[in-house]
Amino acid sequence: MAISKSEARKLTINVTEMGAQVLRGVLTVGPDGAAINNVPVLEWLAQHAGVEIMLIATPVGNAVDATELKTCSRCGRDYKGDACPHCAEARARLRG
């Protein structure tokens, strides 16, 4: 399942502020191995040899599948689309 570009950007900003390193771009696999924006993935990972790391990879798309039924983590209601309409309406109402 892909996450939206805006959610991916938020995640990137949050982890960068915490001191994590981020490698962002299109993953390509060629004769020289895997690369993201021409940065060899194995060389990038070698920088972290000997330490425990968490590697998170997710496809990033323009929109989440609009037909998939999701449950809101805040209010518990089921919804389809990018965001819970109930919580979005409440945020808009509270922000004026």
Side-chain angles (χ1 to χ4, degrees):
M1 177 176 104
I3 64 173
S4 69
K5 283 188 180 182
S6 63
E7 291 296 320
R9 286 187 187 114
K10 287 178 194 174
L11 180 63
T12 301
I13 290 167
N14 288 341
V15 300
T16 303
E17 288 173 350
M18 293 179 200
Q21 293 182 351
V22 175
L23 184 59
R24 177 180 173 233
V26 177
L27 175 66
T28 57
V29 180
D32 297 328
I36 297 177
N37 285 349
N38 297 321
V39 176
V41 175
L42 288 178
E43 288 180 23
W44 188 79
L45 287 172
Q47 297 172 11
H48 307 288
V51 289
E52 182 179 358
I53 66 168
M54 286 187 182
L55 181 62
I56 300 170
T58 183
V60 177
N62 289 331
V64 179
D65 184 8
T67 61
E68 181 182 353
L69 187 63
K70 295 175 239 115
T71 302
C72 180
S73 60
R74 292 206 166 127
C75 70
R77 289 182 170 88
D78 291 333
Y79 68 96
K80 292 181 181 179
D82 291 332
C84 172
H86 172 77
C87 291
E89 178 184 323
R91 277 192 304 276
R93 187 176 63 249
L94 292 172
R95 290 182 181 156

